[in-house]
Amino acid sequence: MSYKIAIASGKGGTGKTTVSVNLQKAIASELTSGVLLADCDVEEPNDRIFFSDATIISEEEVHQMVPEIDTDKCTFCRKCVEYCEFNAIVVLPPAGFAEVNTSLCHSCGACSVACQDGAINEKPVPVGEITRMDTGIGAGLTEGNLKVGSAMQTLMIKELKKSITEDYDVVLYDAPPGTSCPVVETVADVDYVVLVTEPTPFGLNDLMLMVELLVNLDKPFGVVINKAGLGNRDVYEFLNEQNIDILAEIPFNKAYAGKYASGDLLTDIDQETTESYKKIVKSIEERYLQYEGSNYFKW
């Protein structure tokens, strides 16, 4: 059974993807080669750009089942409209018109329950695709890529997670930024969450939101402070007051930031940054033993 870790942040730009990609490399080097990275930021997946030698293993289209109304059977009673919580159905009895807006539909099935005339059937509509890649690091990368214009982020993440087997020792979920439904879906069944923040007022504000979310979900977590040395000490004071573990600090480094910008994130990492990632790996292992009380890691 896989040990699932989500890497999340309350805002974009804190270095969540940087940590996700480098953490996979560190785990593969320090603990096990059976570590899979899953890019759950399905609207803007970008993990793959840091693996220049990645080769595609498979591609799978993901579909959403969307209702379709047969106007020859429809009596235009509008019960389906009343049942729909997402205002995705338009029925105009005088015009004999009935249609489902696929961009608003959430495939909940309520309209099918409401219809007593057998006028509603479901059809598959593509919403994105799941791509599996060999990156040469660990067990590779699995990416969810939402179709442009689709609002089905949560569905896409759910299908991405379902596609991942339990054959891996560790699965890392690179979560979307923020604290909305796609993030909740990403972290819902994980064993541990690594929160990435930065020592700035914006970083603190969104970290507090993410901490509140994880406390409500009863998820164990620790914090990585990225770009350490910038900003102020408010983040540290908050973490100390709340008795929240700091897994590691990754110092701000212009050369390291330049590697991110050029897509060379995994090459020639300085020793100080490398040690920070080793510390994160060690912290994760120790905290698993602390929470479970048994030696999960057998590699």
Side-chain angles (χ1 to χ4, degrees):
M1 188 172 181
S2 303
Y3 184 52
K4 301 178 180 67
I5 303 169
I7 297 90
S9 63
K11 65 183 286 291
T14 60
K16 175 179 55 61
T17 296
T18 302
V19 171
S20 299
V21 172
N22 278 289
L23 186 56
Q24 184 194 27
K25 183 179 180 181
I27 290 175
S29 173
E30 299 294 319
L31 291 178
T32 174
S33 60
V35 52
L36 176 75
L37 177 60
D39 194 343
C40 296
D41 190 1
V42 297
E43 284 189 285
E44 297 180 348
N46 66 342
D47 287 10
R48 74 155 76 185
I49 67 175
F50 301 108
F51 302 98
S52 58
D53 296 328
T55 56
I56 294 176
I57 299 172
S58 66
E59 293 177 300
E60 172 190 345
E61 196 168 55
V62 175
H63 296 87
Q64 172 192 9
M65 298 305 293
V66 176
E68 189 174 42
I69 301 174
D70 184 347
T71 53
D72 291 333
K73 295 181 179 180
C74 181
T75 59
F76 306 99
C77 66
R78 291 181 56 84
K79 286 184 180 178
C80 57
V81 176
E82 295 169 6
Y83 268 57
C84 182
E85 293 288 334
F86 305 100
N87 298 315
I89 303 175
V90 177
V91 176
L92 303 174
F97 179 85
E99 188 174 273
V100 177
N101 186 329
T102 58
S103 64
L104 295 177
C105 177
H106 281 60
S107 303
C108 67
C111 57
S112 296
V113 174
C115 182
Q116 302 298 309
D117 304 307
I120 295 180
N121 297 299
E122 292 185 326
K123 64 177 182 179
V125 174
V127 295
E129 62 181 16
I130 295 170
T131 305
R132 298 173 183 83
M133 288 165 269
D134 179 1
T135 62
I137 296 178
L141 170 67
T142 297
E143 173 191 271
N145 198 338
L146 189 69
K147 186 178 179 181
V148 174
S150 174
M152 295 296 105
Q153 300 99 315
T154 301
L155 171 65
M156 189 70 209
I157 293 169
K158 188 175 295 185
E159 293 301 315
L160 171 63
K161 292 169 67 178
K162 283 170 57 178
S163 75
I164 298 172
T165 67
E166 293 287 343
D167 298 333
Y168 308 100
D169 293 322
V170 180
V171 178
L172 301 176
Y173 294 138
D174 183 5
T179 55
S180 60
C181 293
V183 177
V184 174
E185 175 60 40
T186 302
V187 306
D189 61 347
V190 301
D191 300 296
Y192 193 75
V193 181
V194 175
L195 287 182
V196 182
T197 190
E198 58 187 23
T200 66
F202 292 111
L204 174 58
N205 179 76
D206 295 306
L207 172 66
M208 292 169 68
L209 295 175
M210 197 67 203
V211 167
E212 182 180 2
L213 171 65
L214 295 180
V215 169
N216 288 334
L217 293 175
D218 195 26
K219 290 293 176 184
F221 64 93
V223 175
V224 171
I225 300 177
N226 193 31
K227 309 174 191 175
L230 297 179
N232 54 39
R233 300 290 301 178
D234 291 351
V235 163
Y236 295 89
E237 292 175 7
F238 168 73
L239 295 175
N240 183 58
E241 290 171 0
Q242 300 298 317
N243 197 28
I244 296 172
D245 292 333
I246 299 177
L247 302 179
E249 298 176 67
I250 301 174
F252 176 72
N253 184 308
K254 285 186 178 180
Y256 184 53
K259 289 182 181 298
Y260 180 97
S262 63
D264 296 324
L265 190 60
L266 296 170
T267 60
D268 300 323
I269 303 172
D270 64 276
Q271 188 60 35
E272 188 176 11
T273 301
T274 298
E275 291 301 320
S276 295
Y277 282 104
K278 287 183 179 180
K279 186 176 180 181
I280 298 171
V281 173
K282 186 64 176 176
S283 295
I284 289 172
E285 184 177 22
E286 289 175 351
R287 278 156 182 76
Y288 186 88
L289 298 178
Q290 175 185 339
Y291 285 114
E292 299 298 324
S294 62
N295 189 4
Y296 177 88
F297 298 108
K298 303 183 187 302
W299 42 78

PDB file of all heavy atoms in Angstrom, residues 266-284:
ATOM      1  N   LEU A 266      16.551  20.344 -11.689  1.00  0.00           N
ATOM      2  CA  LEU A 266      17.121  19.148 -11.072  1.00  0.00           C
ATOM      3  C   LEU A 266      18.619  18.985 -11.307  1.00  0.00           C
ATOM      4  O   LEU A 266      19.198  17.968 -10.952  1.00  0.00           O
ATOM      5  CB  LEU A 266      16.390  17.902 -11.586  1.00  0.00           C
ATOM      6  CG  LEU A 266      14.902  17.828 -11.217  1.00  0.00           C
ATOM      7  CD1 LEU A 266      14.215  16.702 -11.965  1.00  0.00           C
ATOM      8  CD2 LEU A 266      14.712  17.656  -9.728  1.00  0.00           C
ATOM      9  N   THR A 267      19.251  19.986 -11.903  1.00  0.00           N
ATOM     10  CA  THR A 267      20.673  19.849 -12.228  1.00  0.00           C
ATOM     11  C   THR A 267      21.530  20.746 -11.349  1.00  0.00           C
ATOM     12  O   THR A 267      21.190  21.897 -11.084  1.00  0.00           O
ATOM     13  CB  THR A 267      20.931  20.204 -13.706  1.00  0.00           C
ATOM     14  OG1 THR A 267      20.537  21.561 -13.946  1.00  0.00           O
ATOM     15  CG2 THR A 267      20.131  19.299 -14.626  1.00  0.00           C
ATOM     16  N   ASP A 268      22.649  20.197 -10.897  1.00  0.00           N
ATOM     17  CA  ASP A 268      23.657  20.960 -10.159  1.00  0.00           C
ATOM     18  C   ASP A 268      23.072  21.759  -8.999  1.00  0.00           C
ATOM     19  O   ASP A 268      23.277  22.971  -8.884  1.00  0.00           O
ATOM     20  CB  ASP A 268      24.409  21.908 -11.104  1.00  0.00           C
ATOM     21  CG  ASP A 268      25.128  21.153 -12.207  1.00  0.00           C
ATOM     22  OD1 ASP A 268      25.647  20.058 -11.926  1.00  0.00           O
ATOM     23  OD2 ASP A 268      25.145  21.651 -13.343  1.00  0.00           O
ATOM     24  N   ILE A 269      22.336  21.074  -8.134  1.00  0.00           N
ATOM     25  CA  ILE A 269      21.755  21.744  -6.975  1.00  0.00           C
ATOM     26  C   ILE A 269      22.846  21.972  -5.936  1.00  0.00           C
ATOM     27  O   ILE A 269      23.638  21.070  -5.642  1.00  0.00           O
ATOM     28  CB  ILE A 269      20.623  20.895  -6.368  1.00  0.00           C
ATOM     29  CG1 ILE A 269      19.558  20.608  -7.438  1.00  0.00           C
ATOM     30  CG2 ILE A 269      19.994  21.584  -5.173  1.00  0.00           C
ATOM     31  CD1 ILE A 269      18.500  19.636  -6.994  1.00  0.00           C
ATOM     32  N   ASP A 270      22.901  23.169  -5.369  1.00  0.00           N
ATOM     33  CA  ASP A 270      23.941  23.479  -4.397  1.00  0.00           C
ATOM     34  C   ASP A 270      23.786  22.622  -3.150  1.00  0.00           C
ATOM     35  O   ASP A 270      22.696  22.115  -2.842  1.00  0.00           O
ATOM     36  CB  ASP A 270      23.897  24.962  -4.036  1.00  0.00           C
ATOM     37  CG  ASP A 270      22.604  25.359  -3.341  1.00  0.00           C
ATOM     38  OD1 ASP A 270      21.609  25.632  -4.047  1.00  0.00           O
ATOM     39  OD2 ASP A 270      22.574  25.372  -2.099  1.00  0.00           O
ATOM     40  N   GLN A 271      24.853  22.472  -2.406  1.00  0.00           N
ATOM     41  CA  GLN A 271      24.887  21.558  -1.270  1.00  0.00           C
ATOM     42  C   GLN A 271      23.910  21.956  -0.169  1.00  0.00           C
ATOM     43  O   GLN A 271      23.267  21.104   0.444  1.00  0.00           O
ATOM     44  CB  GLN A 271      26.304  21.477  -0.698  1.00  0.00           C
ATOM     45  CG  GLN A 271      26.500  20.405   0.365  1.00  0.00           C
ATOM     46  CD  GLN A 271      26.198  19.005  -0.153  1.00  0.00           C
ATOM     47  OE1 GLN A 271      26.469  18.693  -1.311  1.00  0.00           O
ATOM     48  NE2 GLN A 271      25.623  18.167   0.692  1.00  0.00           N
ATOM     49  N   GLU A 272      23.789  23.263   0.080  1.00  0.00           N
ATOM     50  CA  GLU A 272      22.893  23.720   1.151  1.00  0.00           C
ATOM     51  C   GLU A 272      21.444  23.349   0.838  1.00  0.00           C
ATOM     52  O   GLU A 272      20.708  22.882   1.714  1.00  0.00           O
ATOM     53  CB  GLU A 272      23.025  25.235   1.336  1.00  0.00           C
ATOM     54  CG  GLU A 272      22.273  25.757   2.559  1.00  0.00           C
ATOM     55  CD  GLU A 272      22.489  27.241   2.786  1.00  0.00           C
ATOM     56  OE1 GLU A 272      23.056  27.916   1.889  1.00  0.00           O
ATOM     57  OE2 GLU A 272      22.099  27.727   3.862  1.00  0.00           O
ATOM     58  N   THR A 273      21.028  23.544  -0.414  1.00  0.00           N
ATOM     59  CA  THR A 273      19.669  23.194  -0.821  1.00  0.00           C
ATOM     60  C   THR A 273      19.466  21.686  -0.784  1.00  0.00           C
ATOM     61  O   THR A 273      18.425  21.192  -0.345  1.00  0.00           O
ATOM     62  CB  THR A 273      19.370  23.734  -2.228  1.00  0.00           C
ATOM     63  OG1 THR A 273      19.527  25.152  -2.235  1.00  0.00           O
ATOM     64  CG2 THR A 273      17.949  23.400  -2.650  1.00  0.00           C
ATOM     65  N   THR A 274      20.478  20.941  -1.228  1.00  0.00           N
ATOM     66  CA  THR A 274      20.409  19.480  -1.193  1.00  0.00           C
ATOM     67  C   THR A 274      20.201  18.983   0.225  1.00  0.00           C
ATOM     68  O   THR A 274      19.378  18.086   0.480  1.00  0.00           O
ATOM     69  CB  THR A 274      21.700  18.862  -1.772  1.00  0.00           C
ATOM     70  OG1 THR A 274      21.837  19.258  -3.137  1.00  0.00           O
ATOM     71  CG2 THR A 274      21.665  17.341  -1.689  1.00  0.00           C
ATOM     72  N   GLU A 275      20.914  19.559   1.169  1.00  0.00           N
ATOM     73  CA  GLU A 275      20.769  19.161   2.564  1.00  0.00           C
ATOM     74  C   GLU A 275      19.383  19.475   3.100  1.00  0.00           C
ATOM     75  O   GLU A 275      18.853  18.753   3.950  1.00  0.00           O
ATOM     76  CB  GLU A 275      21.842  19.842   3.421  1.00  0.00           C
ATOM     77  CG  GLU A 275      23.257  19.335   3.168  1.00  0.00           C
ATOM     78  CD  GLU A 275      23.398  17.839   3.413  1.00  0.00           C
ATOM     79  OE1 GLU A 275      22.794  17.339   4.398  1.00  0.00           O
ATOM     80  OE2 GLU A 275      24.086  17.171   2.621  1.00  0.00           O
ATOM     81  N   SER A 276      18.792  20.562   2.616  1.00  0.00           N
ATOM     82  CA  SER A 276      17.429  20.915   3.040  1.00  0.00           C
ATOM     83  C   SER A 276      16.448  19.827   2.628  1.00  0.00           C
ATOM     84  O   SER A 276      15.563  19.435   3.408  1.00  0.00           O
ATOM     85  CB  SER A 276      17.012  22.259   2.427  1.00  0.00           C
ATOM     86  OG  SER A 276      17.802  23.319   2.919  1.00  0.00           O
ATOM     87  N   TYR A 277      16.600  19.320   1.401  1.00  0.00           N
ATOM     88  CA  TYR A 277      15.695  18.270   0.938  1.00  0.00           C
ATOM     89  C   TYR A 277      15.934  16.953   1.671  1.00  0.00           C
ATOM     90  O   TYR A 277      14.984  16.211   1.957  1.00  0.00           O
ATOM     91  CB  TYR A 277      15.813  18.091  -0.577  1.00  0.00           C
ATOM     92  CG  TYR A 277      15.075  19.174  -1.331  1.00  0.00           C
ATOM     93  CD1 TYR A 277      15.753  20.217  -1.948  1.00  0.00           C
ATOM     94  CD2 TYR A 277      13.687  19.170  -1.387  1.00  0.00           C
ATOM     95  CE1 TYR A 277      15.073  21.227  -2.602  1.00  0.00           C
ATOM     96  CE2 TYR A 277      12.991  20.172  -2.042  1.00  0.00           C
ATOM     97  CZ  TYR A 277      13.688  21.201  -2.643  1.00  0.00           C
ATOM     98  OH  TYR A 277      13.006  22.203  -3.287  1.00  0.00           O
ATOM     99  N   LYS A 278      17.166  16.668   2.001  1.00  0.00           N
ATOM    100  CA  LYS A 278      17.449  15.474   2.793  1.00  0.00           C
ATOM    101  C   LYS A 278      16.775  15.577   4.151  1.00  0.00           C
ATOM    102  O   LYS A 278      16.270  14.580   4.694  1.00  0.00           O
ATOM    103  CB  LYS A 278      18.957  15.295   2.953  1.00  0.00           C
ATOM    104  CG  LYS A 278      19.686  14.837   1.695  1.00  0.00           C
ATOM    105  CD  LYS A 278      21.166  14.624   1.976  1.00  0.00           C
ATOM    106  CE  LYS A 278      21.893  14.144   0.729  1.00  0.00           C
ATOM    107  NZ  LYS A 278      23.345  13.928   0.988  1.00  0.00           N
ATOM    108  N   LYS A 279      16.749  16.769   4.706  1.00  0.00           N
ATOM    109  CA  LYS A 279      16.105  16.985   5.999  1.00  0.00           C
ATOM    110  C   LYS A 279      14.597  16.769   5.900  1.00  0.00           C
ATOM    111  O   LYS A 279      13.975  16.207   6.807  1.00  0.00           O
ATOM    112  CB  LYS A 279      16.405  18.407   6.500  1.00  0.00           C
ATOM    113  CG  LYS A 279      15.896  18.675   7.903  1.00  0.00           C
ATOM    114  CD  LYS A 279      16.309  20.051   8.383  1.00  0.00           C
ATOM    115  CE  LYS A 279      15.786  20.315   9.790  1.00  0.00           C
ATOM    116  NZ  LYS A 279      16.152  21.665  10.282  1.00  0.00           N
ATOM    117  N   ILE A 280      14.000  17.216   4.785  1.00  0.00           N
ATOM    118  CA  ILE A 280      12.562  17.000   4.588  1.00  0.00           C
ATOM    119  C   ILE A 280      12.260  15.511   4.528  1.00  0.00           C
ATOM    120  O   ILE A 280      11.317  15.020   5.153  1.00  0.00           O
ATOM    121  CB  ILE A 280      12.072  17.690   3.299  1.00  0.00           C
ATOM    122  CG1 ILE A 280      12.281  19.208   3.378  1.00  0.00           C
ATOM    123  CG2 ILE A 280      10.586  17.389   3.067  1.00  0.00           C
ATOM    124  CD1 ILE A 280      12.034  19.924   2.074  1.00  0.00           C
ATOM    125  N   VAL A 281      13.072  14.775   3.764  1.00  0.00           N
ATOM    126  CA  VAL A 281      12.876  13.328   3.643  1.00  0.00           C
ATOM    127  C   VAL A 281      12.966  12.656   5.011  1.00  0.00           C
ATOM    128  O   VAL A 281      12.130  11.821   5.368  1.00  0.00           O
ATOM    129  CB  VAL A 281      13.908  12.717   2.673  1.00  0.00           C
ATOM    130  CG1 VAL A 281      13.807  11.194   2.683  1.00  0.00           C
ATOM    131  CG2 VAL A 281      13.707  13.244   1.262  1.00  0.00           C
ATOM    132  N   LYS A 282      13.972  13.034   5.777  1.00  0.00           N
ATOM    133  CA  LYS A 282      14.138  12.466   7.112  1.00  0.00           C
ATOM    134  C   LYS A 282      12.963  12.809   8.012  1.00  0.00           C
ATOM    135  O   LYS A 282      12.473  11.968   8.788  1.00  0.00           O
ATOM    136  CB  LYS A 282      15.448  12.970   7.727  1.00  0.00           C
ATOM    137  CG  LYS A 282      15.794  12.323   9.060  1.00  0.00           C
ATOM    138  CD  LYS A 282      16.031  10.835   8.909  1.00  0.00           C
ATOM    139  CE  LYS A 282      16.461  10.211  10.229  1.00  0.00           C
ATOM    140  NZ  LYS A 282      16.604   8.743  10.119  1.00  0.00           N
ATOM    141  N   SER A 283      12.481  14.023   7.909  1.00  0.00           N
ATOM    142  CA  SER A 283      11.351  14.462   8.730  1.00  0.00           C
ATOM    143  C   SER A 283      10.097  13.665   8.392  1.00  0.00           C
ATOM    144  O   SER A 283       9.339  13.265   9.288  1.00  0.00           O
ATOM    145  CB  SER A 283      11.083  15.954   8.510  1.00  0.00           C
ATOM    146  OG  SER A 283      12.166  16.742   8.954  1.00  0.00           O
ATOM    147  N   ILE A 284       9.865  13.433   7.107  1.00  0.00           N
ATOM    148  CA  ILE A 284       8.693  12.667   6.685  1.00  0.00           C
ATOM    149  C   ILE A 284       8.755  11.248   7.244  1.00  0.00           C
ATOM    150  O   ILE A 284       7.773  10.727   7.774  1.00  0.00           O
ATOM    151  CB  ILE A 284       8.598  12.641   5.150  1.00  0.00           C
ATOM    152  CG1 ILE A 284       8.209  14.034   4.623  1.00  0.00           C
ATOM    153  CG2 ILE A 284       7.584  11.595   4.687  1.00  0.00           C
ATOM    154  CD1 ILE A 284       8.286  14.160   3.129  1.00  0.00           C
TER     155      ILE A 284
END
